[in-house]
Short mmCIF file of all heavy atoms in Angstrom, two decimals:
data_model
loop_
_atom_site.label_atom_id
_atom_site.label_comp_id
_atom_site.label_asym_id
_atom_site.label_seq_id
_atom_site.Cartn_x
_atom_site.Cartn_y
_atom_site.Cartn_z
N ARG A 346 25.18 34.06 44.79
CA ARG A 346 24.48 34.81 43.74
C ARG A 346 25.51 35.22 42.71
O ARG A 346 26.36 36.10 42.95
CB ARG A 346 23.80 36.04 44.33
CG ARG A 346 23.15 36.95 43.26
CD ARG A 346 21.94 36.25 42.65
NE ARG A 346 21.24 37.14 41.72
CZ ARG A 346 21.42 37.13 40.39
NH1 ARG A 346 22.29 36.29 39.84
NH2 ARG A 346 20.74 37.95 39.63
N ILE A 347 25.47 34.58 41.54
CA ILE A 347 26.47 34.82 40.50
C ILE A 347 25.87 35.73 39.44
O ILE A 347 24.85 35.40 38.83
CB ILE A 347 26.95 33.49 39.89
CG1 ILE A 347 27.48 32.57 40.99
CG2 ILE A 347 28.03 33.74 38.84
CD1 ILE A 347 27.89 31.20 40.50
N HIS A 348 26.49 36.86 39.20
CA HIS A 348 25.98 37.83 38.24
C HIS A 348 26.51 37.53 36.84
O HIS A 348 27.71 37.57 36.58
CB HIS A 348 26.37 39.24 38.67
CG HIS A 348 25.72 39.67 39.95
ND1 HIS A 348 24.43 40.17 40.00
CD2 HIS A 348 26.16 39.65 41.24
CE1 HIS A 348 24.11 40.44 41.25
NE2 HIS A 348 25.14 40.14 42.02
N LEU A 349 25.56 37.23 35.95
CA LEU A 349 25.92 36.85 34.57
C LEU A 349 25.04 37.60 33.58
O LEU A 349 24.67 37.08 32.53
CB LEU A 349 25.74 35.34 34.40
CG LEU A 349 26.69 34.47 35.25
CD1 LEU A 349 26.10 33.10 35.48
CD2 LEU A 349 28.05 34.36 34.57
N GLU A 350 24.71 38.85 33.91
CA GLU A 350 23.78 39.62 33.09
C GLU A 350 24.29 39.86 31.67
O GLU A 350 23.50 40.12 30.77
CB GLU A 350 23.48 40.97 33.76
CG GLU A 350 22.59 40.87 34.98
CD GLU A 350 23.35 40.43 36.23
OE1 GLU A 350 24.60 40.39 36.19
OE2 GLU A 350 22.69 40.12 37.24
N GLU A 351 25.59 39.77 31.47
CA GLU A 351 26.14 40.01 30.13
C GLU A 351 25.83 38.88 29.15
O GLU A 351 26.00 39.04 27.94
CB GLU A 351 27.65 40.20 30.20
CG GLU A 351 28.41 38.97 30.68
CD GLU A 351 29.90 39.21 30.79
OE1 GLU A 351 30.56 39.31 29.74
OE2 GLU A 351 30.40 39.30 31.93
N PHE A 352 25.35 37.75 29.67
CA PHE A 352 25.09 36.60 28.82
C PHE A 352 23.58 36.40 28.65
O PHE A 352 22.80 36.65 29.57
CB PHE A 352 25.70 35.33 29.42
CG PHE A 352 27.18 35.42 29.64
CD1 PHE A 352 27.69 35.68 30.91
CD2 PHE A 352 28.06 35.27 28.59
CE1 PHE A 352 29.06 35.77 31.12
CE2 PHE A 352 29.43 35.36 28.79
CZ PHE A 352 29.93 35.62 30.05
N SER A 353 23.19 35.91 27.48
CA SER A 353 21.79 35.59 27.23
C SER A 353 21.53 34.14 27.62
O SER A 353 22.46 33.34 27.70
CB SER A 353 21.45 35.80 25.75
OG SER A 353 21.93 34.71 24.97
N PRO A 354 20.25 33.77 27.83
CA PRO A 354 19.94 32.40 28.22
C PRO A 354 20.32 31.36 27.16
O PRO A 354 20.41 30.17 27.48
CB PRO A 354 18.42 32.43 28.43
CG PRO A 354 18.13 33.85 28.78
CD PRO A 354 19.08 34.65 27.93
N LEU A 355 20.53 31.79 25.91
CA LEU A 355 20.90 30.84 24.86
C LEU A 355 22.35 31.01 24.41
O LEU A 355 22.75 30.54 23.36
CB LEU A 355 19.97 31.02 23.65
CG LEU A 355 18.48 30.74 23.92
CD1 LEU A 355 17.66 31.01 22.67
CD2 LEU A 355 18.27 29.32 24.41
N ASP A 356 23.16 31.66 25.23
CA ASP A 356 24.55 31.97 24.89
C ASP A 356 25.49 30.81 25.22
O ASP A 356 26.48 30.97 25.94
CB ASP A 356 24.98 33.23 25.64
CG ASP A 356 26.11 33.97 24.96
OD1 ASP A 356 26.57 33.49 23.90
OD2 ASP A 356 26.53 35.02 25.48
N PHE A 357 25.18 29.64 24.67
CA PHE A 357 25.96 28.45 25.00
C PHE A 357 27.38 28.48 24.44
O PHE A 357 28.26 27.78 24.94
CB PHE A 357 25.24 27.19 24.50
CG PHE A 357 24.01 26.86 25.29
CD1 PHE A 357 22.75 27.17 24.80
CD2 PHE A 357 24.10 26.27 26.54
CE1 PHE A 357 21.60 26.87 25.52
CE2 PHE A 357 22.96 25.97 27.27
CZ PHE A 357 21.71 26.28 26.77
N GLU A 358 27.61 29.29 23.42
CA GLU A 358 28.96 29.38 22.85
C GLU A 358 29.94 30.00 23.84
O GLU A 358 31.15 29.83 23.71
CB GLU A 358 28.94 30.18 21.55
CG GLU A 358 28.21 29.46 20.41
CD GLU A 358 28.31 30.22 19.10
OE1 GLU A 358 28.90 31.33 19.10
OE2 GLU A 358 27.80 29.71 18.08
N ALA A 359 29.43 30.71 24.84
CA ALA A 359 30.29 31.32 25.86
C ALA A 359 30.47 30.39 27.07
O ALA A 359 30.80 30.84 28.16
CB ALA A 359 29.70 32.65 26.31
N CYS A 360 30.25 29.09 26.85
CA CYS A 360 30.21 28.14 27.98
C CYS A 360 31.49 28.16 28.81
O CYS A 360 31.43 28.09 30.05
CB CYS A 360 29.92 26.74 27.47
SG CYS A 360 31.13 26.06 26.32
N ARG A 361 32.64 28.27 28.19
CA ARG A 361 33.89 28.22 28.95
C ARG A 361 34.04 29.46 29.83
O ARG A 361 34.48 29.36 30.97
CB ARG A 361 35.07 28.08 27.99
CG ARG A 361 36.42 27.86 28.64
CD ARG A 361 36.47 26.70 29.61
NE ARG A 361 36.22 25.39 29.04
CZ ARG A 361 36.36 24.25 29.71
NH1 ARG A 361 36.73 24.27 30.99
NH2 ARG A 361 36.10 23.10 29.13
N ARG A 362 33.65 30.61 29.32
CA ARG A 362 33.71 31.85 30.12
C ARG A 362 32.74 31.78 31.29
O ARG A 362 33.07 32.18 32.42
CB ARG A 362 33.40 33.05 29.24
CG ARG A 362 34.48 33.43 28.23
CD ARG A 362 33.97 34.47 27.26
NE ARG A 362 33.48 35.67 27.94
CZ ARG A 362 32.59 36.52 27.43
NH1 ARG A 362 32.08 36.28 26.22
NH2 ARG A 362 32.21 37.58 28.10
N ILE A 363 31.53 31.28 31.02
CA ILE A 363 30.52 31.19 32.08
C ILE A 363 30.98 30.21 33.16
O ILE A 363 30.83 30.48 34.36
CB ILE A 363 29.16 30.76 31.48
CG1 ILE A 363 28.65 31.84 30.50
CG2 ILE A 363 28.14 30.52 32.58
CD1 ILE A 363 27.43 31.44 29.71
N TYR A 364 31.52 29.09 32.73
CA TYR A 364 32.04 28.10 33.68
C TYR A 364 33.10 28.72 34.59
O TYR A 364 33.06 28.54 35.82
CB TYR A 364 32.65 26.93 32.90
CG TYR A 364 33.56 26.03 33.71
CD1 TYR A 364 33.05 24.96 34.44
CD2 TYR A 364 34.94 26.25 33.75
CE1 TYR A 364 33.89 24.13 35.19
CE2 TYR A 364 35.78 25.44 34.49
CZ TYR A 364 35.24 24.38 35.21
OH TYR A 364 36.08 23.58 35.96
N LYS A 365 34.01 29.48 34.01
CA LYS A 365 35.10 30.08 34.79
C LYS A 365 34.58 31.11 35.79
O LYS A 365 35.09 31.20 36.92
CB LYS A 365 36.14 30.72 33.88
CG LYS A 365 37.40 31.17 34.62
CD LYS A 365 38.47 31.66 33.67
CE LYS A 365 39.78 31.94 34.40
NZ LYS A 365 39.65 32.84 35.55
N ILE A 366 33.56 31.87 35.39
CA ILE A 366 32.98 32.85 36.32
C ILE A 366 32.38 32.12 37.53
O ILE A 366 32.55 32.54 38.68
CB ILE A 366 31.91 33.71 35.60
CG1 ILE A 366 32.59 34.64 34.59
CG2 ILE A 366 31.10 34.52 36.61
CD1 ILE A 366 31.62 35.39 33.69
N GLY A 367 31.68 31.02 37.27
CA GLY A 367 31.11 30.24 38.36
C GLY A 367 32.18 29.66 39.26
O GLY A 367 32.07 29.71 40.50
N TYR A 368 33.23 29.12 38.65
CA TYR A 368 34.33 28.53 39.42
C TYR A 368 35.04 29.59 40.26
O TYR A 368 35.26 29.41 41.47
CB TYR A 368 35.32 27.87 38.47
CG TYR A 368 36.58 27.35 39.14
CD1 TYR A 368 36.59 26.11 39.79
CD2 TYR A 368 37.76 28.09 39.13
CE1 TYR A 368 37.74 25.64 40.41
CE2 TYR A 368 38.91 27.63 39.75
CZ TYR A 368 38.88 26.40 40.39
OH TYR A 368 40.02 25.95 41.01
N ASP A 369 35.37 30.72 39.63
CA ASP A 369 36.09 31.78 40.34
C ASP A 369 35.27 32.34 41.49
O ASP A 369 35.81 32.62 42.58
CB ASP A 369 36.47 32.90 39.38
CG ASP A 369 37.57 32.50 38.40
OD1 ASP A 369 38.24 31.47 38.64
OD2 ASP A 369 37.76 33.21 37.39
N TYR A 370 33.97 32.50 41.27
CA TYR A 370 33.14 33.05 42.34
C TYR A 370 33.06 32.08 43.51
O TYR A 370 33.16 32.48 44.68
CB TYR A 370 31.74 33.37 41.82
CG TYR A 370 30.89 34.05 42.87
CD1 TYR A 370 31.06 35.40 43.16
CD2 TYR A 370 29.94 33.34 43.60
CE1 TYR A 370 30.30 36.02 44.14
CE2 TYR A 370 29.19 33.95 44.58
CZ TYR A 370 29.38 35.30 44.84
OH TYR A 370 28.63 35.91 45.83
N ALA A 371 32.88 30.79 43.21
CA ALA A 371 32.82 29.81 44.29
C ALA A 371 34.13 29.75 45.06
O ALA A 371 34.13 29.65 46.29
CB ALA A 371 32.48 28.43 43.71
N MET A 372 35.24 29.86 44.35
CA MET A 372 36.54 29.84 45.04
C MET A 372 36.70 31.08 45.91
O MET A 372 37.27 31.00 47.02
CB MET A 372 37.66 29.75 44.02
CG MET A 372 37.74 28.40 43.29
SD MET A 372 38.04 26.99 44.38
CE MET A 372 39.78 27.27 44.78
N SER A 373 36.19 32.22 45.45
CA SER A 373 36.29 33.44 46.25
C SER A 373 35.44 33.36 47.52
O SER A 373 35.70 34.06 48.50
CB SER A 373 35.86 34.66 45.42
OG SER A 373 34.45 34.69 45.23
N MET A 374 34.43 32.49 47.50
CA MET A 374 33.54 32.31 48.65
C MET A 374 33.90 31.08 49.48
O MET A 374 33.18 30.76 50.44
CB MET A 374 32.10 32.18 48.16
CG MET A 374 31.53 33.44 47.50
SD MET A 374 31.23 34.74 48.72
CE MET A 374 29.86 34.01 49.63
N MET A 375 34.99 30.41 49.14
CA MET A 375 35.27 29.11 49.74
C MET A 375 35.51 29.20 51.25
O MET A 375 35.10 28.30 52.00
CB MET A 375 36.45 28.44 49.04
CG MET A 375 36.57 26.95 49.33
SD MET A 375 35.04 26.01 49.00
CE MET A 375 34.86 26.24 47.22
N ASP A 376 36.16 30.26 51.71
CA ASP A 376 36.36 30.39 53.16
C ASP A 376 35.01 30.45 53.88
O ASP A 376 34.82 29.84 54.95
CB ASP A 376 37.19 31.62 53.48
CG ASP A 376 38.66 31.45 53.12
OD1 ASP A 376 39.08 30.29 52.91
OD2 ASP A 376 39.38 32.47 53.04
N SER A 377 34.07 31.20 53.31
CA SER A 377 32.73 31.29 53.91
C SER A 377 32.01 29.96 53.85
O SER A 377 31.33 29.56 54.81
CB SER A 377 31.91 32.36 53.18
OG SER A 377 32.47 33.64 53.33
N ILE A 378 32.15 29.26 52.72
CA ILE A 378 31.51 27.95 52.58
C ILE A 378 32.07 26.97 53.60
O ILE A 378 31.33 26.27 54.30
CB ILE A 378 31.71 27.40 51.14
CG1 ILE A 378 30.97 28.28 50.13
CG2 ILE A 378 31.22 25.95 51.04
CD1 ILE A 378 31.26 27.94 48.68
N LYS A 379 33.40 26.95 53.73
CA LYS A 379 34.03 26.01 54.67
C LYS A 379 33.70 26.33 56.13
O LYS A 379 33.69 25.44 56.98
CB LYS A 379 35.54 26.01 54.45
CG LYS A 379 35.98 25.30 53.18
CD LYS A 379 37.50 25.28 53.06
CE LYS A 379 37.97 24.45 51.89
NZ LYS A 379 39.44 24.41 51.77
N SER A 380 33.44 27.60 56.40
CA SER A 380 33.09 27.95 57.78
C SER A 380 31.71 27.44 58.15
O SER A 380 31.41 27.24 59.33
CB SER A 380 33.15 29.48 57.96
OG SER A 380 32.08 30.12 57.27
N ARG A 381 30.86 27.21 57.13
CA ARG A 381 29.50 26.72 57.38
C ARG A 381 29.39 25.21 57.14
O ARG A 381 28.61 24.54 57.82
CB ARG A 381 28.50 27.44 56.46
CG ARG A 381 28.40 28.94 56.67
CD ARG A 381 27.79 29.30 58.01
NE ARG A 381 26.51 28.63 58.23
CZ ARG A 381 25.35 29.03 57.71
NH1 ARG A 381 25.30 30.11 56.93
NH2 ARG A 381 24.23 28.37 57.97
N VAL A 382 30.12 24.73 56.16
CA VAL A 382 30.07 23.30 55.83
C VAL A 382 31.29 22.63 56.46
O VAL A 382 32.42 22.79 56.00
CB VAL A 382 30.07 23.06 54.31
CG1 VAL A 382 30.00 21.57 54.01
CG2 VAL A 382 28.91 23.80 53.65
N THR A 383 31.05 21.87 57.49
CA THR A 383 32.16 21.24 58.22
C THR A 383 32.50 19.85 57.66
O THR A 383 33.58 19.32 57.92
CB THR A 383 31.81 21.10 59.71
OG1 THR A 383 30.60 20.33 59.85
CG2 THR A 383 31.59 22.48 60.32
N ALA A 384 31.57 19.25 56.92
CA ALA A 384 31.80 17.91 56.37
C ALA A 384 32.84 17.96 55.26
O ALA A 384 32.94 18.94 54.52
CB ALA A 384 30.50 17.32 55.84
N ARG A 385 33.60 16.89 55.14
CA ARG A 385 34.59 16.75 54.06
C ARG A 385 34.56 15.32 53.54
O ARG A 385 34.40 14.36 54.31
CB ARG A 385 36.01 17.07 54.56
CG ARG A 385 36.20 18.48 55.10
CD ARG A 385 36.19 19.52 53.98
NE ARG A 385 36.43 20.85 54.53
CZ ARG A 385 35.48 21.66 54.99
NH1 ARG A 385 34.21 21.27 54.98
NH2 ARG A 385 35.79 22.85 55.48
N VAL A 386 34.73 15.18 52.25
CA VAL A 386 34.85 13.87 51.62
C VAL A 386 36.07 13.89 50.72
O VAL A 386 36.12 14.66 49.75
CB VAL A 386 33.59 13.51 50.79
CG1 VAL A 386 33.82 12.23 50.00
CG2 VAL A 386 32.38 13.35 51.69
N PRO A 387 37.09 13.08 51.01
CA PRO A 387 38.31 13.08 50.19
C PRO A 387 38.00 12.70 48.74
O PRO A 387 37.06 11.93 48.46
CB PRO A 387 39.18 12.00 50.86
CG PRO A 387 38.64 11.88 52.24
CD PRO A 387 37.16 12.15 52.13
N ALA A 388 38.79 13.25 47.83
CA ALA A 388 38.59 12.98 46.41
C ALA A 388 38.65 11.48 46.12
O ALA A 388 37.90 10.97 45.27
CB ALA A 388 39.63 13.72 45.59
N GLU A 389 39.53 10.77 46.81
CA GLU A 389 39.68 9.33 46.57
C GLU A 389 38.37 8.59 46.88
O GLU A 389 37.95 7.69 46.14
CB GLU A 389 40.81 8.76 47.42
CG GLU A 389 42.20 9.27 47.06
CD GLU A 389 42.49 10.65 47.66
OE1 GLU A 389 41.63 11.17 48.42
OE2 GLU A 389 43.57 11.20 47.36
N THR A 390 37.72 8.98 47.97
CA THR A 390 36.45 8.35 48.35
C THR A 390 35.37 8.63 47.32
O THR A 390 34.63 7.74 46.88
CB THR A 390 36.00 8.86 49.73
OG1 THR A 390 37.00 8.57 50.69
CG2 THR A 390 34.68 8.21 50.15
#
């Protein structure tokens, strides 16, 4: 659940900031994600 209340639905000019919030939040949850998702696919594949 990513909180982005500061942005409007048409706030596309803030795309880089919104992208980073999504990336940072997913990275902060990565240990939890990896504990549930056991599958891995190498980048090369």
Side-chain angles (χ1 to χ4, degrees):
R346 175 69 175 97
I347 304 176
H348 294 278
L349 295 156
E350 288 79 11
E351 64 182 287
F352 302 101
S353 77
L355 298 178
D356 204 359
F357 289 102
E358 291 185 358
C360 61
R361 186 54 63 173
R362 289 170 56 204
I363 296 172
Y364 164 87
K365 189 174 187 306
I366 290 172
Y368 174 82
D369 289 344
Y370 185 78
M372 291 299 287
S373 74
M374 294 289 291
M375 196 53 64
D376 287 344
S377 297
I378 294 172
K379 286 183 173 180
S380 70
R381 297 293 308 281
V382 181
T383 58
R385 300 288 182 272
V386 172
E389 294 80 4
T390 301

